[in-house]
Amino acid sequence: MKIEPFRLERYFAKYEFTAPYLLCCSDCESFTVGELLQFERDAQEALSSLWLGYTESQGHPELRAQIAALYQQISPDEILVHAGAEEAIFNVMQVVLSPGDHVVVHSPYYQSLGEVARSLGAVVLEWNSDPQRGWELAIASLKEILTEKTKMVVINVPHNPTGFLPSVEFLRELSKLSEEKGFLVFSDEVYRGLEYDPALRLPAFADINERGISLGVMSKTYGLAGLRIGWIATRNAEVRRALAAFKDYTTICNSAPSEFLATLALRHREYIVARNLGIIKQNLELLRPFFEKHADKFRWDEPKAGPIAFPRYLGGSAERFCHDLVQGAGVLLLPGAVYGEGLPHFRIGFGRKNMPYALERLETFLN
């Protein structure tokens, strides 16, 4: 297996822990272990007495029960816990795809959603969203690239990096098409729960389609990336069995302290999500006038969900702009080039409390 370097992660490796102002983070404000333990009176004692032997490969039953509660049609036995979303993506591609299969990927996309498939010999076709229409996806354009070899369609809703959120009708059309054509749908839903208007929240694809595969993680909506806990939810028994067997060759099982803390956090998910949405909305109140003021330099398409957006840079090379910014002001933005060639955009993140300070530094740099 040969795989291309992960452009986004290589870019972060260069700057993430040296740039003083991170303005492109894709996650929300995190917690300390002590802050999580304060949610419950006996949590500290329970963590101290936690047995550090092997854990259940599928995930602790209580953790799977808490995850299953995020869905309507999914039982705890239909959850398989992984070491973050990345292992889950990698493993799904390994067990589903064979050389020559066609995979359609919602574009622009987080690189592993297409690159792992490509490294396995699959043909990756991009289902391009429209930047002139708020990054909208069209079912009609999907139909144009489907073939008899299409094994899987990959979607990402809410979308990284644009914050695009389709309608329920869109998902139901896609589900109907998958039933007609027989392809699986892998749905990256790591930002589910961060819709600015709760009425716009979509059902998980695993809930509306028995062959659908939904991806979740503690990193984004809950801001707990350091736990390295992600999961697959699916009613597809064949995929679940294959994933469970393949995981024996990757992590085998998950970290016991991480599973304990993830379970604790999910019991208090309403508070955590409300806090993170509050931070996002406060930061959006600063971003709107900023981009209005600098409309000659940027085009701002406000997202509908999540802590990230994908503005267009109007002054030339977005990659050069991001380079000059981090070198000159210590502010890190993520150039669109890490998502694909020819994208004159950059990712901005606003899920953390310190975003206003980074935005002030950006303002100073522009002036």
Side-chain angles (χ1 to χ4, degrees):
M1 174 183 179
K2 278 192 171 183
I3 195 163
E4 293 295 318
F6 205 128
R7 295 183 298 272
L8 183 152
E9 294 300 337
R10 290 301 87 208
Y11 195 85
F12 266 126
K14 187 175 180 180
Y15 296 115
E16 184 177 11
F17 295 103
T18 56
Y21 301 97
L22 302 184
L23 193 51
C24 59
C25 296
S26 62
D27 56 356
C28 289
E29 185 75 16
S30 195
F31 291 83
T32 66
V33 172
E35 287 171 333
L36 285 183
L37 294 177
Q38 287 177 13
F39 283 137
E40 295 179 5
R41 186 171 56 184
D42 60 349
Q44 177 70 62
E45 182 180 351
L47 179 61
S48 297
S49 62
L50 183 68
W51 177 254
L52 293 180
Y54 285 109
T55 62
E56 292 189 33
S57 181
Q58 189 176 352
H60 193 284
E62 188 177 354
L63 174 57
R64 288 188 281 114
Q66 289 296 329
I67 293 171
L70 301 172
Y71 302 89
Q72 297 297 317
Q73 304 293 330
I74 298 294
S75 72
D77 288 339
E78 293 169 324
I79 301 292
L80 185 59
V81 182
H82 290 76
E86 193 64 76
E87 185 197 19
I89 294 169
F90 183 86
N91 289 5
V92 167
M93 301 296 175
Q94 295 285 339
V95 304
V96 167
L97 301 175
S98 300
D101 285 341
H102 286 196
V103 180
V104 176
V105 184
H106 176 180
S107 181
Y109 58 90
Y110 185 67
Q111 189 174 342
S112 60
L113 293 174
E115 195 61 51
V116 177
R118 190 177 288 111
S119 74
L120 295 169
V123 177
V124 176
L125 304 170
E126 295 188 2
W127 181 10
N128 293 310
S129 51
D130 186 351
Q132 303 302 320
R133 297 174 62 86
W135 300 100
E136 181 179 303
L137 270 180
I139 293 291
S141 62
L142 171 62
K143 292 178 179 178
E144 293 174 358
I145 54 178
L146 289 175
T147 73
E148 60 183 15
K149 294 184 178 181
T150 302
K151 187 67 173 288
M152 184 163 63
V153 172
V154 180
I155 59 170
N156 176 201
V157 290
H159 186 241
N160 172 3
T162 68
F164 166 74
L165 190 64
S167 65
V168 174
E169 290 72 22
F170 169 91
L171 280 195
R172 300 206 181 280
E173 282 187 65
L174 178 59
S175 179
K176 181 180 178 182
L177 193 59
S178 77
E179 292 168 356
E180 293 172 355
K181 302 295 185 181
F183 57 80
L184 299 173
V185 174
F186 182 83
S187 183
D188 179 343
E189 299 164 358
V190 299
Y191 289 108
R192 188 164 178 260
L194 288 181
E195 300 81 7
Y196 309 152
D197 180 354
L200 298 180
R201 183 166 304 157
L202 298 173
F205 206 86
D207 278 334
I208 66 173
N209 189 309
E210 291 186 1
R211 296 192 314 278
I213 304 166
S214 289
L215 172 70
V217 76
M218 295 302 297
S219 305
K220 308 302 185 183
T221 300
Y222 307 101
L224 297 170
L227 295 183
R228 310 311 305 138
I229 292 291
W231 61 85
I232 291 294
T234 182
R235 290 182 282 163
N236 187 317
E238 182 181 353
V239 168
R240 285 201 315 276
R241 284 193 294 268
L243 278 175
F246 191 82
K247 194 184 176 199
D248 294 340
Y249 287 96
T250 54
T251 58
I252 302 177
C253 65
N254 307 297
S255 157
S258 289
E259 289 200 332
F260 174 91
L261 292 170
T263 305
L264 172 62
L266 287 173
R267 286 200 293 268
H268 299 273
R269 57 184 171 270
E270 290 184 6
Y271 168 80
I272 293 174
V273 173
R275 187 208 67 164
N276 287 340
L277 271 172
I279 294 169
I280 288 169
K281 290 179 178 180
Q282 287 176 0
N283 286 336
L284 279 171
E285 292 297 323
L286 300 176
L287 288 173
R288 291 187 190 105
F290 171 85
F291 282 109
E292 184 178 348
K293 177 181 177 181
H294 296 288
D296 59 323
K297 299 180 181 69
F298 311 108
R299 194 185 78 190
W300 167 247
D301 291 311
E302 185 160 320
K304 295 181 180 178
I308 51 176
F310 207 44
R312 177 168 182 156
Y313 180 58
L314 304 177
S317 166
E319 197 165 6
R320 169 54 62 183
F321 169 70
C322 291
H323 176 270
D324 291 345
L325 178 63
V326 72
Q327 294 293 329
V331 177
L332 185 63
L333 291 172
L334 193 64
V338 303
Y339 286 94
E341 295 181 7
L343 287 170
H345 303 78
F346 59 89
R347 190 178 81 185
I348 188 167
F350 43 91
R352 296 188 181 184
K353 291 180 179 178
N354 64 354
M355 190 225 68
Y357 304 106
L359 190 63
E360 287 178 8
R361 294 288 297 181
L362 173 57
E363 179 76 69
T364 300
F365 176 82
L366 293 175
N367 291 336

